[in-house]
């Protein structure tokens, strides 16, 4: 993850989605300040990153044309893009929020966030894009990176809130860790 973390971060006040926070996640934290995941999920249960979002969710957010992708370090990823939107999801199944926090200095304008009770970091909020890393378990995290090409939906205006909405959808599709 350290070599492959390329995310963008954001903050939202949309009820039920995400909010910027500075430690309300849990009193437990790693040595570098990363919050512990208190309700772990199993990211490894969905092997194909293009299956992290359901067809209904993709329709709701206006995404289409899934395409398998890989990170610079060879991690599997998926990209959905059309004339209006680009979404890239990358699951990291061997590294957690501790790795994100250790590399946080590499992210422009990063902010702590909470997505559906899970710790997150908004990153690289630049122009029409924003990304978020979300802790799923102690050694599992994923990134949701959003680029808006045209503001055809009101929810596209706040790119970071939209990235967190996408991340929340992914979380809703993951089973609890056993």
């Amino acid at each position: 993850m350290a070599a492959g973390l390329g995310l963008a971060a954001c903050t939202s006040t949309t009820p039920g989605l995400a909010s910027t926070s500075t430690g309300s996640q849990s009193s437990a934290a790693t040595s570098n300040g990363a919050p512990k995941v208190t309700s772990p999920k199993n990211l490894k249960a969905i092997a194909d990153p293009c299956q992290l979002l359901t067809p209904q969710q993709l329709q709701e957010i206006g995404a289409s044309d899934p395409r398998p992708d890989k990170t610079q370090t060879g991690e599997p990823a998926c990209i959905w893009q059309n004339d209006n939107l680009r979404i890239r999801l990358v699951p990291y199944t061997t590294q957690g929020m501790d790795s994100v926090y250790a590399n946080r200095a590499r992210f422009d304008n990063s902010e702590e966030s909470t997505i559906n009770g899970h710790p997150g970091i908004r990153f690289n909020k630049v122009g029409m894009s924003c990304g978020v890393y979300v802790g799923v378990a102690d050694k599992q995290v994923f990134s949701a990176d959003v680029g808006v090409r045209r503001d055809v939906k009101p929810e596209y205006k706040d790119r970071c809130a939209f990235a967190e909405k996408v991340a929340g959808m992914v979380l809703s599709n993951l089973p609890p860790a056993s």
Side-chain angles (χ1 to χ4, degrees):
M1 179 188 269
L5 286 177
L7 306 170
C10 302
T11 307
S12 167
T13 56
T14 306
L17 285 179
S19 63
T20 303
S21 69
T22 55
S24 62
Q25 175 68 23
S26 168
S27 58
T30 63
S31 61
N32 61 10
K36 289 280 194 186
V37 175
T38 57
S39 301
K41 298 224 177 211
N42 184 2
L43 187 59
K44 292 179 182 181
I46 301 179
D48 178 0
C50 291
Q51 300 300 311
L52 289 170
L53 294 169
T54 68
Q56 296 79 15
Q57 290 169 326
L58 292 168
Q59 184 176 13
E60 178 184 334
I61 60 178
S64 59
D65 303 325
R67 178 172 57 89
D69 191 31
K70 294 228 182 254
T71 66
Q72 292 175 337
T73 59
E75 298 275 355
C78 190
I79 294 176
W80 293 265
Q81 58 187 2
N82 56 37
D83 291 341
N84 304 322
L85 186 63
R86 180 184 183 277
I87 297 172
R88 184 171 192 242
L89 294 177
V90 182
Y92 297 96
T93 58
T94 60
Q95 298 175 51
M97 287 302 285
D98 55 341
S99 295
V100 175
Y101 271 67
N103 290 288
R104 190 169 172 189
R106 295 178 43 209
F107 311 137
D108 294 330
N109 306 317
S110 69
E111 298 174 333
E112 293 181 12
S113 184
T114 302
I115 298 95
N116 294 358
H118 288 258
I121 291 280
R122 291 179 170 193
F123 64 94
N124 299 341
K125 181 180 177 181
V126 181
M128 302 290 276
S129 65
C130 185
V132 63
Y133 281 105
V134 181
V136 176
D138 285 343
K139 291 297 177 191
Q140 296 182 28
V141 67
F142 70 89
S143 68
D145 201 354
V146 170
V148 174
R149 295 177 172 165
R150 295 187 313 176
D151 283 329
V152 297
K153 289 183 164 222
E155 66 186 335
Y156 291 177
K157 300 266 186 239
D158 183 340
R159 280 75 161 134
C160 292
F162 186 66
E164 289 175 338
K165 175 179 181 169
V166 171
M169 289 176 161
V170 171
L171 284 168
S172 74
N173 296 332
L174 299 176
S178 50

